[in-house]
mmCIF file of all heavy atoms in Angstrom:
data_model
loop_
_atom_site.group_PDB
_atom_site.id
_atom_site.type_symbol
_atom_site.label_atom_id
_atom_site.label_comp_id
_atom_site.label_asym_id
_atom_site.label_seq_id
_atom_site.Cartn_x
_atom_site.Cartn_y
_atom_site.Cartn_z
ATOM 1 N N HIS A 1 -4.865 55.123 15.097
ATOM 2 C CA HIS A 1 -4.102 56.268 14.608
ATOM 3 C C HIS A 1 -4.401 57.524 15.433
ATOM 4 O O HIS A 1 -4.894 58.531 14.910
ATOM 5 C CB HIS A 1 -4.411 56.523 13.127
ATOM 6 C CG HIS A 1 -4.058 55.371 12.240
ATOM 7 N ND1 HIS A 1 -4.914 54.321 11.996
ATOM 8 C CD2 HIS A 1 -2.916 55.084 11.573
ATOM 9 C CE1 HIS A 1 -4.332 53.443 11.201
ATOM 10 N NE2 HIS A 1 -3.113 53.873 10.935
ATOM 11 N N PRO A 2 -4.116 57.506 16.745
ATOM 12 C CA PRO A 2 -4.313 58.708 17.563
ATOM 13 C C PRO A 2 -3.423 59.846 17.074
ATOM 14 O O PRO A 2 -2.325 59.611 16.554
ATOM 15 C CB PRO A 2 -3.929 58.258 18.975
ATOM 16 C CG PRO A 2 -3.074 57.054 18.776
ATOM 17 C CD PRO A 2 -3.553 56.385 17.526
ATOM 18 N N LEU A 3 -3.898 61.079 17.245
ATOM 19 C CA LEU A 3 -3.174 62.247 16.754
ATOM 20 C C LEU A 3 -2.446 63.008 17.854
ATOM 21 O O LEU A 3 -1.847 64.045 17.606
ATOM 22 C CB LEU A 3 -4.146 63.192 16.031
ATOM 23 C CG LEU A 3 -4.838 62.607 14.789
ATOM 24 C CD1 LEU A 3 -5.806 63.622 14.190
ATOM 25 C CD2 LEU A 3 -3.811 62.167 13.759
ATOM 26 N N SER A 4 -2.512 62.510 19.066
ATOM 27 C CA SER A 4 -1.809 63.138 20.194
ATOM 28 C C SER A 4 -1.281 62.053 21.112
ATOM 29 O O SER A 4 -1.792 60.920 21.115
ATOM 30 C CB SER A 4 -2.756 64.058 20.985
ATOM 31 O OG SER A 4 -3.756 63.289 21.642
ATOM 32 N N LEU A 5 -0.269 62.378 21.895
ATOM 33 C CA LEU A 5 0.250 61.405 22.858
ATOM 34 C C LEU A 5 -0.812 61.087 23.906
ATOM 35 O O LEU A 5 -0.907 59.954 24.377
ATOM 36 C CB LEU A 5 1.516 61.926 23.526
ATOM 37 C CG LEU A 5 2.147 60.937 24.511
ATOM 38 C CD1 LEU A 5 2.670 59.709 23.779
ATOM 39 C CD2 LEU A 5 3.253 61.579 25.307
ATOM 40 N N TYR A 6 -1.612 62.081 24.279
ATOM 41 C CA TYR A 6 -2.707 61.816 25.229
ATOM 42 C C TYR A 6 -3.601 60.698 24.699
ATOM 43 O O TYR A 6 -3.905 59.731 25.402
ATOM 44 C CB TYR A 6 -3.524 63.085 25.460
ATOM 45 C CG TYR A 6 -4.797 62.831 26.226
ATOM 46 C CD1 TYR A 6 -4.761 62.524 27.578
ATOM 47 C CD2 TYR A 6 -6.044 62.885 25.592
ATOM 48 C CE1 TYR A 6 -5.934 62.261 28.283
ATOM 49 C CE2 TYR A 6 -7.209 62.628 26.282
ATOM 50 C CZ TYR A 6 -7.148 62.317 27.624
ATOM 51 O OH TYR A 6 -8.308 62.057 28.318
ATOM 52 N N GLY A 7 -4.020 60.815 23.427
ATOM 53 C CA GLY A 7 -4.836 59.769 22.835
ATOM 54 C C GLY A 7 -4.125 58.432 22.806
ATOM 55 O O GLY A 7 -4.728 57.378 23.021
ATOM 56 N N ALA A 8 -2.826 58.463 22.539
ATOM 57 C CA ALA A 8 -2.046 57.229 22.503
ATOM 58 C C ALA A 8 -1.994 56.558 23.871
ATOM 59 O O ALA A 8 -2.062 55.325 23.975
ATOM 60 C CB ALA A 8 -0.637 57.515 21.998
ATOM 61 N N THR A 9 -1.869 57.342 24.936
ATOM 62 C CA THR A 9 -1.839 56.740 26.275
ATOM 63 C C THR A 9 -3.181 56.108 26.623
ATOM 64 O O THR A 9 -3.235 55.079 27.303
ATOM 65 C CB THR A 9 -1.464 57.762 27.360
ATOM 66 O OG1 THR A 9 -2.461 58.792 27.454
ATOM 67 C CG2 THR A 9 -0.109 58.392 27.089
ATOM 68 N N LYS A 10 -4.270 56.700 26.147
ATOM 69 C CA LYS A 10 -5.589 56.134 26.420
ATOM 70 C C LYS A 10 -5.799 54.834 25.632
ATOM 71 O O LYS A 10 -6.403 53.878 26.130
ATOM 72 C CB LYS A 10 -6.677 57.152 26.094
ATOM 73 C CG LYS A 10 -6.756 58.293 27.095
ATOM 74 C CD LYS A 10 -7.044 57.756 28.480
ATOM 75 C CE LYS A 10 -7.228 58.830 29.513
ATOM 76 N NZ LYS A 10 -7.567 58.274 30.843
ATOM 77 N N LYS A 11 -5.307 54.814 24.405
ATOM 78 C CA LYS A 11 -5.352 53.567 23.643
ATOM 79 C C LYS A 11 -4.513 52.489 24.334
ATOM 80 O O LYS A 11 -4.904 51.311 24.396
ATOM 81 C CB LYS A 11 -4.836 53.814 22.219
ATOM 82 C CG LYS A 11 -4.778 52.577 21.338
ATOM 83 C CD LYS A 11 -6.162 51.999 21.069
ATOM 84 C CE LYS A 11 -6.066 50.827 20.102
ATOM 85 N NZ LYS A 11 -7.387 50.209 19.858
ATOM 86 N N ALA A 12 -3.364 52.886 24.877
ATOM 87 C CA ALA A 12 -2.529 51.943 25.621
ATOM 88 C C ALA A 12 -3.284 51.371 26.815
ATOM 89 O O ALA A 12 -3.180 50.166 27.113
ATOM 90 C CB ALA A 12 -1.244 52.630 26.081
ATOM 91 N N ASN A 13 -4.053 52.194 27.509
ATOM 92 C CA ASN A 13 -4.843 51.713 28.642
ATOM 93 C C ASN A 13 -5.807 50.612 28.215
ATOM 94 O O ASN A 13 -5.975 49.602 28.919
ATOM 95 C CB ASN A 13 -5.645 52.855 29.262
ATOM 96 C CG ASN A 13 -4.803 53.842 30.041
ATOM 97 O OD1 ASN A 13 -5.321 54.865 30.488
ATOM 98 N ND2 ASN A 13 -3.520 53.583 30.193
ATOM 99 N N GLU A 14 -6.422 50.803 27.065
ATOM 100 C CA GLU A 14 -7.396 49.812 26.593
ATOM 101 C C GLU A 14 -6.742 48.455 26.353
ATOM 102 O O GLU A 14 -7.265 47.415 26.788
ATOM 103 C CB GLU A 14 -8.061 50.318 25.311
ATOM 104 C CG GLU A 14 -8.918 51.556 25.516
ATOM 105 C CD GLU A 14 -9.526 52.077 24.226
ATOM 106 O OE1 GLU A 14 -9.264 51.489 23.164
ATOM 107 O OE2 GLU A 14 -10.271 53.079 24.290
ATOM 108 N N VAL A 15 -5.607 48.445 25.676
ATOM 109 C CA VAL A 15 -4.973 47.155 25.372
ATOM 110 C C VAL A 15 -4.308 46.549 26.609
ATOM 111 O O VAL A 15 -4.245 45.312 26.749
ATOM 112 C CB VAL A 15 -3.976 47.292 24.194
ATOM 113 C CG1 VAL A 15 -4.716 47.648 22.923
ATOM 114 C CG2 VAL A 15 -2.896 48.307 24.469
ATOM 115 N N MET A 16 -3.829 47.392 27.520
ATOM 116 C CA MET A 16 -3.289 46.871 28.770
ATOM 117 C C MET A 16 -4.386 46.189 29.593
ATOM 118 O O MET A 16 -4.189 45.099 30.141
ATOM 119 C CB MET A 16 -2.649 48.003 29.581
ATOM 120 C CG MET A 16 -1.366 48.558 28.970
ATOM 121 S SD MET A 16 -0.868 50.140 29.724
ATOM 122 C CE MET A 16 -0.353 49.590 31.352
ATOM 123 N N ALA A 17 -5.541 46.838 29.673
ATOM 124 C CA ALA A 17 -6.652 46.259 30.434
ATOM 125 C C ALA A 17 -7.095 44.935 29.829
ATOM 126 O O ALA A 17 -7.412 43.981 30.549
ATOM 127 C CB ALA A 17 -7.817 47.243 30.479
ATOM 128 N N HIS A 18 -7.100 44.886 28.491
ATOM 129 C CA HIS A 18 -7.490 43.622 27.859
ATOM 130 C C HIS A 18 -6.509 42.503 28.201
ATOM 131 O O HIS A 18 -6.909 41.361 28.448
ATOM 132 C CB HIS A 18 -7.597 43.766 26.339
ATOM 133 C CG HIS A 18 -7.994 42.478 25.685
ATOM 134 N ND1 HIS A 18 -7.069 41.566 25.217
ATOM 135 C CD2 HIS A 18 -9.214 41.916 25.475
ATOM 136 C CE1 HIS A 18 -7.711 40.511 24.736
ATOM 137 N NE2 HIS A 18 -9.005 40.700 24.881
ATOM 138 N N SER A 19 -5.229 42.811 28.212
ATOM 139 C CA SER A 19 -4.246 41.769 28.519
ATOM 140 C C SER A 19 -4.457 41.219 29.927
ATOM 141 O O SER A 19 -4.333 40.009 30.148
ATOM 142 C CB SER A 19 -2.820 42.311 28.348
ATOM 143 O OG SER A 19 -2.487 43.223 29.377
ATOM 144 N N TYR A 20 -4.799 42.089 30.889
ATOM 145 C CA TYR A 20 -5.029 41.627 32.260
ATOM 146 C C TYR A 20 -6.349 40.871 32.372
ATOM 147 O O TYR A 20 -6.468 39.919 33.157
ATOM 148 C CB TYR A 20 -4.971 42.796 33.235
ATOM 149 C CG TYR A 20 -3.576 43.051 33.752
ATOM 150 C CD1 TYR A 20 -2.567 43.496 32.900
ATOM 151 C CD2 TYR A 20 -3.253 42.836 35.088
ATOM 152 C CE1 TYR A 20 -1.283 43.710 33.355
ATOM 153 C CE2 TYR A 20 -1.966 43.052 35.565
ATOM 154 C CZ TYR A 20 -0.986 43.487 34.695
ATOM 155 O OH TYR A 20 0.295 43.697 35.155
ATOM 156 N N ALA A 21 -7.353 41.297 31.596
ATOM 157 C CA ALA A 21 -8.614 40.552 31.576
ATOM 158 C C ALA A 21 -8.377 39.149 31.033
ATOM 159 O O ALA A 21 -8.930 38.158 31.549
ATOM 160 C CB ALA A 21 -9.645 41.289 30.733
ATOM 161 N N HIS A 22 -7.541 39.036 30.017
ATOM 162 C CA HIS A 22 -7.248 37.732 29.403
ATOM 163 C C HIS A 22 -6.379 36.857 30.313
ATOM 164 O O HIS A 22 -6.660 35.669 30.512
ATOM 165 C CB HIS A 22 -6.552 37.941 28.056
ATOM 166 C CG HIS A 22 -5.989 36.695 27.455
ATOM 167 N ND1 HIS A 22 -6.785 35.722 26.879
ATOM 168 C CD2 HIS A 22 -4.709 36.233 27.376
ATOM 169 C CE1 HIS A 22 -6.027 34.738 26.455
ATOM 170 N NE2 HIS A 22 -4.764 35.004 26.739
ATOM 171 N N LEU A 23 -5.328 37.446 30.858
ATOM 172 C CA LEU A 23 -4.371 36.660 31.631
ATOM 173 C C LEU A 23 -4.887 36.280 33.012
ATOM 174 O O LEU A 23 -4.644 35.168 33.496
ATOM 175 C CB LEU A 23 -3.063 37.441 31.788
ATOM 176 C CG LEU A 23 -2.228 37.638 30.525
ATOM 177 C CD1 LEU A 23 -1.127 38.662 30.780
ATOM 178 C CD2 LEU A 23 -1.646 36.310 30.054
ATOM 179 N N TYR A 24 -5.603 37.212 33.652
ATOM 180 C CA TYR A 24 -5.954 37.017 35.064
ATOM 181 C C TYR A 24 -7.457 37.013 35.330
ATOM 182 O O TYR A 24 -7.875 36.919 36.482
ATOM 183 C CB TYR A 24 -5.280 38.106 35.913
ATOM 184 C CG TYR A 24 -3.796 38.215 35.650
ATOM 185 C CD1 TYR A 24 -3.257 39.358 35.068
ATOM 186 C CD2 TYR A 24 -2.933 37.155 35.957
ATOM 187 C CE1 TYR A 24 -1.896 39.451 34.809
ATOM 188 C CE2 TYR A 24 -1.572 37.242 35.696
ATOM 189 C CZ TYR A 24 -1.063 38.388 35.119
ATOM 190 O OH TYR A 24 0.284 38.478 34.859
ATOM 191 N N GLY A 25 -8.264 37.156 34.269
ATOM 192 C CA GLY A 25 -9.711 37.107 34.443
ATOM 193 C C GLY A 25 -10.298 38.304 35.154
ATOM 194 O O GLY A 25 -11.392 38.206 35.742
ATOM 195 N N ILE A 26 -9.604 39.444 35.125
ATOM 196 C CA ILE A 26 -10.112 40.655 35.771
ATOM 197 C C ILE A 26 -11.162 41.295 34.864
ATOM 198 O O ILE A 26 -10.834 41.758 33.764
ATOM 199 C CB ILE A 26 -8.981 41.661 36.037
ATOM 200 C CG1 ILE A 26 -7.936 41.067 36.972
ATOM 201 C CG2 ILE A 26 -9.542 42.966 36.613
ATOM 202 C CD1 ILE A 26 -6.662 41.890 37.062
ATOM 203 N N PRO A 27 -12.431 41.339 35.262
ATOM 204 C CA PRO A 27 -13.445 41.990 34.433
ATOM 205 C C PRO A 27 -13.122 43.479 34.284
ATOM 206 O O PRO A 27 -12.924 44.188 35.279
ATOM 207 C CB PRO A 27 -14.747 41.790 35.219
ATOM 208 C CG PRO A 27 -14.472 40.645 36.152
ATOM 209 C CD PRO A 27 -13.015 40.766 36.496
ATOM 210 N N ALA A 28 -13.029 43.954 33.051
ATOM 211 C CA ALA A 28 -12.611 45.334 32.798
ATOM 212 C C ALA A 28 -13.495 45.954 31.723
ATOM 213 O O ALA A 28 -13.748 45.337 30.680
ATOM 214 C CB ALA A 28 -11.148 45.378 32.368
ATOM 215 N N THR A 29 -13.927 47.185 31.992
ATOM 216 C CA THR A 29 -14.735 47.935 31.034
ATOM 217 C C THR A 29 -14.111 49.299 30.820
ATOM 218 O O THR A 29 -13.897 50.046 31.785
ATOM 219 C CB THR A 29 -16.179 48.117 31.523
ATOM 220 O OG1 THR A 29 -16.772 46.841 31.773
ATOM 221 C CG2 THR A 29 -17.010 48.864 30.482
ATOM 222 N N GLY A 30 -13.812 49.621 29.561
ATOM 223 C CA GLY A 30 -13.271 50.936 29.220
ATOM 224 C C GLY A 30 -14.355 51.834 28.655
ATOM 225 O O GLY A 30 -15.193 51.392 27.855
ATOM 226 N N LEU A 31 -14.351 53.090 29.064
ATOM 227 C CA LEU A 31 -15.340 54.069 28.614
ATOM 228 C C LEU A 31 -14.638 55.193 27.867
ATOM 229 O O LEU A 31 -13.803 55.906 28.440
ATOM 230 C CB LEU A 31 -16.101 54.644 29.808
ATOM 231 C CG LEU A 31 -16.946 53.646 30.604
ATOM 232 C CD1 LEU A 31 -17.548 54.325 31.829
ATOM 233 C CD2 LEU A 31 -18.039 53.043 29.740
ATOM 234 N N ARG A 32 -14.970 55.341 26.595
ATOM 235 C CA ARG A 32 -14.409 56.428 25.802
ATOM 236 C C ARG A 32 -15.277 57.672 25.973
ATOM 237 O O ARG A 32 -16.334 57.800 25.346
ATOM 238 C CB ARG A 32 -14.324 56.007 24.335
ATOM 239 C CG ARG A 32 -13.303 54.897 24.085
ATOM 240 C CD ARG A 32 -13.339 54.406 22.647
ATOM 241 N NE ARG A 32 -12.266 53.430 22.394
ATOM 242 C CZ ARG A 32 -12.137 52.724 21.285
ATOM 243 N NH1 ARG A 32 -13.023 52.878 20.292
ATOM 244 N NH2 ARG A 32 -11.145 51.864 21.138
ATOM 245 N N PHE A 33 -14.822 58.586 26.831
ATOM 246 C CA PHE A 33 -15.586 59.800 27.118
ATOM 247 C C PHE A 33 -15.510 60.779 25.949
ATOM 248 O O PHE A 33 -14.459 60.954 25.331
ATOM 249 C CB PHE A 33 -15.046 60.490 28.370
ATOM 250 C CG PHE A 33 -15.295 59.735 29.647
ATOM 251 C CD1 PHE A 33 -14.242 59.327 30.443
ATOM 252 C CD2 PHE A 33 -16.576 59.439 30.053
ATOM 253 C CE1 PHE A 33 -14.458 58.632 31.621
ATOM 254 C CE2 PHE A 33 -16.826 58.747 31.228
ATOM 255 C CZ PHE A 33 -15.752 58.341 32.020
#
């Protein structure tokens, strides 16, 4: 439940990275600053 579009785009990055880690085996680490 992000409260800004900026937060929403960062959440999108997390799930996009997971999909590529799952599909293509790309090791990915997200850091919430």
Side-chain angles (χ1 to χ4, degrees):
H1 299 86
L3 298 178
S4 67
L5 182 66
Y6 170 72
T9 64
K10 287 300 184 177
K11 178 65 176 178
N13 288 174
E14 294 178 359
V15 295
M16 291 166 70
H18 180 268
S19 72
Y20 271 66
H22 170 74
L23 291 168
Y24 308 114
I26 299 169
T29 303
L31 296 175
R32 292 174 175 172
F33 291 121

